[in-house]
Amino acid sequence: MDRLLTAAPITLKDPLELQIEAQSAVPLMKPDGVSNLSRRAFLGFGASALVLGALLPSMPVRAATASAAAVKPGSRIPAFLVIGKDNAVTLLSPFVEGGQGINTGMAQIVGEELDVNPSRFTVECAPPGPDYAVINGLRMTGGSFSTRSSYPLMRRLGATARDMMIRAAATKLKVKPESLKTEDGFVIHAASGQRLVYGELAPVALALPPRDDVALRDPASFRYIRQPVARLDVRAKSTGKAVYAIDQKLEGMLYAAVQHAPNQGTTVQSVANEAAVSAMPGVHSVHKLPGAVAVAADSWWRARKAVETLSVSWSAPAASGLDSVAADFASDGMLAALKSSSAAGLPAESDGDAAAAFANAAKVIEAEYDAPYLVHGQLEPPSAMARFNADGTLELWAPNQMPELFQSVAAQTAGLAPDKVILHSPMLGGFFGRHFLYGSANPFLQAIQLAKATGRPVKVLWSREEEFRMDAVRPLSFTRFRAAIGKDGRPTAIQARTVGEGPLGRWFGAVFKDPVDSSAVEGVTEKPYAIPNRRMEYVKFPHPVTIAFWRSVGHSMNDFFYEGFLDEIADAGGQDPFALRMDLLKDKPRHRKLLETVAAMSGGWKRGPYQVDGTRRARGVSMASPFGSETATIAEVSVQGGETQVHNVWVAFDPGSIVNPAIVKSQVESAVALGLSATLFEELVYKDGVRQSHNFDDYPILSRRSMPAVHVEIVESGAPMGGVGEPGLPGVPPAVVNAVAALTGQRVRSLPLAKSKIGV
């Protein structure tokens, strides 16, 4: 048998093109209590036009094979709730758990209205299906959007199910529903003392037609919502029983390891030692794939050793240019191209008469800010499993943040109808925007190819080095600022020119045709400060590399740019940066409250420098308005041996309202850690067309030694519920850099700090 199995080349369409074919666009909703949706436009189109069939094998119910037009997402209670005779409750969640605590939050919301203690819930990720497209016809997990978008719907789902239980019990007991009450999974008839368990009522109750007018619980009587309910996944994770994609196995499966082309966009020309590698112990077959070679074997270690032994000749990249990742492509060259662009900018925000303000300014200052490419650096390396079943279905286990999209692309890749693809969405070993569809940055397409070529179930697992080679990256970014300052030291105008590209325009630009990519300018535009004359412009400059959403997206660098420059404005005008912010927010009580709170948390605002335990320290302050929430951040730093040490970070966080304060705090703390890692250390460098980082030994991230004390206070303003997972990050880089400037007089405008020589 020929041991070199060349899988039939798969010509993949752009993921967005595939998505458009499988999904129908719907108008953006006008949310009741959800802000920023139009700016986060990728959340607004439908994912429910697919015809879908299979549920998780262990679940006794099936998703309907109905079109989106026939299904109102969130309305069919049996698609979400399975209540066993033992009264255990299984919730099929529209969202993917990836460490953010969404399973616990969903159990709290539904359990509150269903009247079942959340601790008795088992929460599973629902399969693809129109029932779960609960975000205005879309289903996704990301954008800090899951809880705030589904909160009213999931409350109503729990209340509707409770009403069904009461009506079923009333029929069984031959009493009026008004005479019944519920208590933690029981329907109680107080007059007779009878108690009926939900599990016994469920078969009849969940078959009843739902009412549209069920009453929701008065928030004053909440028992679970707004309480620090223990996370449902803690025990499994702490005992090693949690199952991630990397842990899963199938009977008779082969393991596959992959070696990708060193230069993005190049292809396999030949494999010189195919026969020798094919004869290695345990090797089943060698494969050519688009932009990669793979080895399938009886263990992953054997597959990896074999694929690393392959002697592959690759096609040559283009010699130069920015239309592709050319042989001379480099990060510093890309940054220089962004800086030197002379293209006319598109107005991203405009108010007042900036030109006149600059003409009459007492002082004008300018500055340029940039931030590097970043990988996601998730703990779990990417993997996927694929199996073609005897009944003609393809079964796929693929970490993802959009099940319907992955299902539709898998179906087209395999040449099947979508309802012939059974997709399992396992718990994610890290989120951060890594698990959207970024073409070749995900291994599930390779798993499908290899399963088809070998006729066996195949598990593809990328080594850490291959993950670093193929991960879609946060885009390198650049903004040039100008500010006009009046005689009183206050800013009278601000201009910004942002040059680059955001992931929203890259992956969803064909749906949302606004030429200004909000994911490229968010954090530079729509700031709350009362600077009367503003002109912010955007210049699209495409990256040749594969760019991605990254935790807090454009805010992750743009709030650093803006808030750093605002401190420069304060210094140029002889103003204290905290006092200037308070003054510019005099008509914004929500934002002033956050500044006052974070100052009080830190023992009162003081910029410094000052002495603490023999070290010279200073503080920086910043604000950010990401994902419908508001934050104020203060960081305290010292510089020791040229290295920045962050001692404390204080965050006042206003998400409007909350579900679980413990999860909110942990999310803010984790966002602070990632923000610090990016501020202090992280940078992905391209040189000669290839990435210079291959693993965590040459891509340093935050260590425990560098982790400061983090102090979080939640301020519930009562504003519409905002996001939680990402908003804690954007305020960290500017707060730290502003503190370094206060301590050393050195203004750093290019991250990370590790590449700058900083001294006191």
Side-chain angles (χ1 to χ4, degrees):
M1 182 180 73
D2 184 2
R3 300 290 290 175
L4 179 61
L5 298 179
T6 303
I10 293 178
T11 303
L12 291 178
K13 299 181 180 180
D14 182 273
L16 179 59
E17 184 180 354
L18 291 173
Q19 179 158 316
I20 292 171
E21 291 177 1
Q23 300 175 340
S24 59
V26 298
L28 286 176
M29 67 175 173
K30 296 179 180 178
D32 179 14
V34 180
S35 60
N36 287 347
L37 183 59
S38 61
R39 292 181 61 248
R40 199 144 311 283
F42 70 90
L43 296 177
F45 59 92
S48 53
L50 296 173
V51 178
L52 303 163
L55 199 57
L56 296 175
S58 60
M59 294 296 105
V61 292
R62 294 272 172 179
T65 57
S67 69
V71 175
K72 181 181 178 182
S75 65
R76 298 195 301 177
I77 309 303
F80 290 83
L81 287 171
V82 180
I83 302 177
K85 290 186 177 181
D86 60 355
N87 222 23
V89 179
T90 297
L91 171 65
L92 296 180
S93 171
F95 307 109
V96 182
E97 176 64 64
Q100 82 279 39
I102 191 62
N103 284 359
T104 305
M106 289 294 106
Q108 285 181 257
I109 298 167
V110 176
E112 185 70 74
E113 299 291 351
L114 180 60
D115 201 356
V116 173
N117 192 310
S119 65
R120 296 204 286 107
F121 274 70
T122 297
V123 183
E124 305 277 359
C125 182
D131 284 289
Y132 311 108
V134 300
I135 308 176
N136 191 42
L138 170 73
R139 181 186 181 189
M140 64 162 292
T141 309
S144 292
F145 210 73
S146 300
T147 301
R148 60 179 168 138
S149 65
S150 64
Y151 179 72
L153 185 146
M154 300 307 286
R155 282 187 67 191
R156 185 163 298 280
L157 186 144
T160 302
R162 175 179 175 271
D163 174 74
M164 290 173 164
M165 295 296 169
I166 289 174
R167 285 192 282 144
T171 300
K172 185 170 184 177
L173 297 176
K174 296 181 172 57
V175 299
K176 292 182 178 180
E178 297 79 24
S179 68
L180 300 173
K181 66 176 184 178
T182 61
E183 182 180 301
D184 195 16
F186 290 85
V187 179
I188 300 170
H189 186 238
S192 65
Q194 296 184 80
R195 295 165 59 91
L196 300 180
V197 66
Y198 280 8
E200 295 177 0
L201 295 169
V204 173
L206 296 183
L208 293 173
R211 289 172 50 197
D212 293 329
D213 58 347
V214 294
L216 300 181
R217 184 178 291 276
D218 183 346
S221 68
F222 281 168
R223 300 141 304 162
Y224 309 126
I225 294 176
R226 303 189 73 253
Q227 297 302 313
V229 171
R231 286 184 52 151
L232 301 181
D233 53 358
V234 166
R235 183 172 181 83
K237 288 181 175 178
S238 61
T239 58
K241 294 181 179 179
V243 178
Y244 299 89
I246 196 172
D247 302 313
Q248 295 175 325
K249 298 179 181 179
L250 295 171
E251 183 178 354
M253 78 177 185
L254 294 168
Y255 296 83
V258 180
Q259 178 191 155
H260 292 95
N263 296 87
Q264 180 180 320
T266 58
T267 59
V268 179
Q269 297 295 289
S270 63
V271 179
N273 59 341
E274 171 262 319
V277 171
S278 296
M280 292 178 67
V283 170
H284 175 274
S285 47
V286 178
H287 304 261
K288 292 180 182 178
L289 301 171
V293 290
V295 171
D298 60 6
S299 76
W300 186 76
W301 181 251
R302 284 177 164 178
R304 179 181 178 179
K305 296 304 291 183
V307 81
E308 290 177 347
T309 304
L310 288 173
S311 178
V312 185
S313 295
W314 304 93
S315 63
S320 190
L322 293 175
D323 293 332
S324 64
V325 184
D328 65 349
F329 179 75
S331 300
D332 54 3
M334 185 67 190
L335 179 58
L338 299 182
K339 289 184 176 183
S340 63
S341 171
S342 59
L346 298 169
E349 182 181 8
S350 183
D351 195 20
D353 189 342
F358 277 98
N360 296 312
K363 182 183 291 187
V364 174
I365 64 170
E366 300 184 7
E368 295 180 348
Y369 281 76
D370 66 81
Y373 292 118
L374 296 180
V375 299
H376 292 90
Q378 61 182 27
L379 182 61
E380 180 189 11
S383 67
M385 294 193 305
R387 177 178 63 194
F388 286 90
N389 297 319
D391 62 0
T393 60
L394 165 64
E395 201 159 1
L396 185 65
W397 290 257
N400 72 88
Q401 292 178 240
M402 294 186 74
E404 284 73 18
L405 174 56
F406 275 66
Q407 184 195 48
S408 71
V409 173
Q412 293 208 20
T413 301
L416 298 172
D419 64 349
K420 294 296 185 181
V421 176
I422 304 168
L423 177 69
H424 304 271
S425 301
M427 181 165 50
L428 303 177
F431 234 111
F432 323 126
R434 173 64 181 91
H435 298 288
F436 288 108
L437 186 64
Y438 303 120
S440 59
N442 189 294
F444 82 105
L445 299 175
Q446 296 173 343
I448 296 170
Q449 269 193 301
L450 294 172
K452 190 172 186 178
T454 62
R456 298 266 297 274
V458 172
K459 178 177 184 175
V460 175
L461 172 62
W462 287 356
S463 67
R464 185 71 70 189
E465 290 75 14
E466 295 304 318
E467 158 71 344
F468 267 82
R469 189 194 303 270
M470 297 303 295
D471 188 12
V473 296
R474 188 191 76 171
L476 183 153
S477 304
F478 167 75
T479 296
R480 180 180 292 115
F481 290 95
R482 294 180 72 223
I485 302 172
K487 293 179 180 179
D488 60 357
R490 298 177 76 254
T492 60
I494 186 168
Q495 290 183 343
R497 177 181 168 88
T498 297
V499 185
E501 182 187 15
L504 178 59
R506 169 72 68 95
W507 299 110
F508 296 91
V511 175
F512 298 99
K513 302 181 184 297
D514 188 339
V516 176
D517 185 344
S518 64
S519 67
V521 298
E522 58 189 7
V524 169
T525 60
E526 300 184 14
K527 297 291 282 188
Y529 304 114
I531 300 177
N533 304 291
R534 303 182 302 279
R535 179 169 177 79
M536 312 309 203
E537 63 181 27
Y538 169 64
V539 178
K540 183 175 181 179
F541 197 118
H543 292 261
V545 304
T546 305
I547 62 172
F549 297 97
W550 193 89
R551 192 172 186 175
S552 75
V553 198
H555 286 281
S556 67
M557 55 275 192
N558 290 337
D559 281 296
F560 157 60
F561 298 169
Y562 190 105
E563 294 287 316
F565 187 62
L566 188 59
D567 260 38
E568 294 197 59
I569 292 173
D571 289 339
Q575 306 286 315
D576 175 83
F578 183 90
L580 178 62
R581 284 173 172 83
M582 289 291 287
D583 181 52
L584 295 175
L585 297 169
K586 61 185 178 182
D587 296 325
K588 298 290 181 68
R590 183 182 183 190
H591 298 83
R592 285 178 64 93
K593 173 67 172 176
L594 283 175
L595 277 175
E596 292 166 350
T597 300
V598 78
M601 291 168 62
S602 65
W605 166 252
K606 53 181 178 180
R607 192 182 191 193
Y610 52 85
Q611 293 287 325
V612 176
D613 299 330
T615 63
R616 191 166 177 266
R617 300 185 185 182
R619 293 181 181 179
V621 63
S622 69
M623 299 201 75
S625 305
F627 304 95
S629 294
E630 301 289 342
T631 67
T633 305
I634 291 176
E636 181 182 57
V637 310
S638 66
V639 174
Q640 303 171 33
E643 180 179 333
T644 301
Q645 179 67 47
V646 183
H647 299 278
N648 288 282
V649 175
W650 295 273
V651 182
F653 179 47
D654 178 7
S657 60
I658 61 173
V659 172
N660 187 317
I663 289 177
V664 171
K665 286 189 174 183
S666 68
Q667 282 290 290
V668 174
E669 290 166 352
S670 71
V672 168
L674 187 56
L676 282 171
S677 189
T679 304
L680 299 175
F681 304 114
E682 293 189 40
E683 180 181 25
L684 180 69
V685 174
Y686 277 88
K687 184 179 180 181
D688 298 330
V690 297
R691 300 179 180 186
Q692 299 302 294
S693 296
H694 309 89
N695 206 321
F696 289 115
D697 58 342
D698 53 15
Y699 186 87
I701 62 173
L702 190 75
S703 66
R704 293 184 65 180
R705 181 180 68 85
S706 299
M707 184 69 189
V710 179
H711 318 268
V712 179
E713 185 167 329
I714 301 169
V715 181
E716 289 189 84
S717 63
M721 184 180 288
V724 168
E726 296 170 279
L729 189 150
V732 174
V736 171
V737 173
N738 287 342
V740 169
L743 182 66
T744 66
Q746 195 173 342
R747 173 58 59 180
V748 176
R749 302 185 182 94
S750 180
L751 293 180
L753 288 172
K755 70 181 182 182
S756 300
K757 294 181 179 179
I758 299 173
V760 179

